[in-house]
Amino acid sequence: MGTPANLSGVANGWRRVSVVTVTHHSAAVIEPCLRSVAEAAAIIVVDNASEDRTLDLVRRAVPSAQIVANRTGRGFGNGANQGLAMVTTEFALLINPDAVLRPGAIEALLEAADRYPEAGMLAPRVYHPDGHLEAIHNVSLLQRAAFASRRDDPAPDGDLCAGYLSGAVNLVRMQAIRQVGAYDPQIFLYYEDDDLCIRLRQGGWSLVQVAEAEAEHVGGGSIRRGWDKLWEKFWHMSWSRLYIERKYHGRPAMLRTALPNLLRYAGKTLGNLVILNRTKLVRDAARFSGTLAYLLGLPATRHS
């Protein structure tokens, strides 16, 4: 296939793209990320109250970066929405601070975007630092229960039209975002990418994994570790999953998921307390608390 005239070189391709990344204590990973996207028309960094050197390193790596410095954490989706609201280019590249775009990836993504004008979101193949290919595509969350939770699907031979693309690295068509809306502001953390994928597909857009585009993903390198982060992760996973269930399937379906989970997580919490397994105790207590909070009508954004 011939290269489109407006993609005659890397710089020309990058003129069509603004980069949006959301940071939170990301000093250990942000510089390689920004170096890999430095030719973009604009680089927008939304920082969620980092207490390390993240913003100093951003300014050193890309002095022209546009920075939104939130005094309190607003979660991934709301932070990304702040950045997306500033985008004036045809495309936005949403990239986690612990991801790095490999050379040639943006050309491949843009060529695919031109080849598939119905694609609202496109993603590269994503590799872990040890070389293994991450499973970034899946069926829609609304159909996922019908499939095995652990699958060893072979890597696709070429481009793939998916039901879901994970949010590590995504090229999004701003026309599609303006049509369906950006991330749901009610979701503080987790499943916000599932929700956006659902709405894009409902809006008539497709999701494409591009075989010729590649990125690397450290995974987990964008946040600090600790018991509070373990609690935050599983609290929000439980809350957000119930929010999605009710949003698309209604209150009865949400209750059919929530009530058994409430009992199961309560039992696991007590069991882990007896055997003094601290990690599982924090995990399951957070799951119980997040489930109960959703049932009581407490918003996720007030929790953090």
Side-chain angles (χ1 to χ4, degrees):
M1 185 188 77
T3 301
N6 59 355
L7 290 178
S8 58
V10 177
N12 286 341
W14 275 118
R15 291 192 191 112
R16 305 170 69 189
V17 181
S18 297
V19 170
V20 176
T21 189
V22 179
T23 55
H24 181 58
H25 309 304
S26 304
V29 292
I30 190 59
E31 286 188 290
C33 171
L34 293 181
R35 283 196 294 268
S36 75
V37 298
E39 298 299 321
I43 294 179
I44 303 166
V45 177
V46 181
D47 184 72
N48 277 328
S50 292
E51 297 173 351
D52 58 7
R53 297 182 60 234
T54 295
L55 292 184
D56 291 334
L57 296 177
V58 169
R59 295 183 182 101
R60 183 173 76 180
V62 185
S64 62
Q66 302 174 56
I67 296 174
V68 179
N70 293 322
R71 292 188 177 184
T72 59
R74 301 186 62 175
F76 171 76
N78 283 299
N81 287 350
Q82 290 177 279
L84 288 169
M86 299 166 64
V87 172
T88 59
T89 49
E90 182 183 1
F91 295 95
L93 183 76
L94 293 158
I95 185 168
N96 283 2
D98 56 355
V100 174
L101 210 61
R102 288 182 174 176
I106 198 65
E107 300 103 314
L109 288 169
L110 288 169
E111 287 177 2
D114 291 335
R115 189 163 64 247
Y116 309 120
E118 74 286 354
M121 176 185 290
L122 304 100
R125 291 190 178 193
V126 178
Y127 291 87
H128 192 267
D130 67 9
H132 81 259
L133 185 65
E134 290 190 6
I136 67 147
H137 69 276
N138 207 335
V139 295
S140 168
L141 181 64
L142 302 182
Q143 285 81 45
R144 208 168 295 163
F147 293 79
S149 59
R150 294 182 181 274
R151 308 197 309 272
D152 188 21
D153 299 336
D157 292 330
D159 297 343
L160 171 75
C161 188
Y164 161 80
L165 294 172
S166 74
V169 185
N170 295 140
L171 184 75
V172 294
R173 196 183 302 269
M174 291 305 297
Q175 178 187 354
I177 294 297
R178 285 190 289 270
Q179 177 189 323
V180 307
Y183 291 103
D184 188 326
Q186 300 301 314
I187 302 175
F188 187 84
L189 285 174
Y190 297 103
Y191 298 112
E192 62 277 283
D193 49 353
D194 283 279
D195 176 73
L196 180 56
C197 289
I198 291 168
R199 287 185 286 113
L200 283 167
R201 296 186 72 223
Q202 287 181 342
W205 298 95
S206 59
L207 316 172
V208 178
Q209 183 182 3
V210 180
E212 296 301 317
E214 296 181 350
E216 295 178 13
H217 185 212
V218 174
S222 60
I223 60 172
R224 295 187 298 186
R225 302 182 186 278
W227 296 111
D228 59 330
K229 295 302 177 184
L230 182 67
W231 176 278
E232 179 182 64
K233 173 181 178 178
F234 286 101
W235 193 101
H236 283 290
M237 287 184 74
S238 297
W239 191 100
S240 297
R241 184 62 186 87
L242 295 180
Y243 176 85
I244 294 288
E245 192 68 24
R246 182 169 183 173
K247 180 175 181 177
Y248 293 102
H249 290 152
R251 179 177 171 81
M254 179 275 292
L255 290 173
R256 286 194 296 271
T257 299
L259 296 178
N261 282 352
L262 198 66
L263 294 175
R264 181 165 71 253
Y265 297 148
K268 286 188 172 184
T269 299
L270 292 174
N272 290 319
L273 181 62
V274 170
I275 64 174
L276 300 178
N277 187 321
R278 187 176 181 182
T279 299
K280 290 185 177 180
L281 173 63
V282 172
R283 179 198 67 187
D284 292 319
R287 286 169 164 170
F288 174 84
S289 180
T291 300
L292 182 62
Y294 186 82
L295 289 171
L296 293 175
L298 302 179
T301 51
R302 290 187 60 188
H303 175 74
S304 299

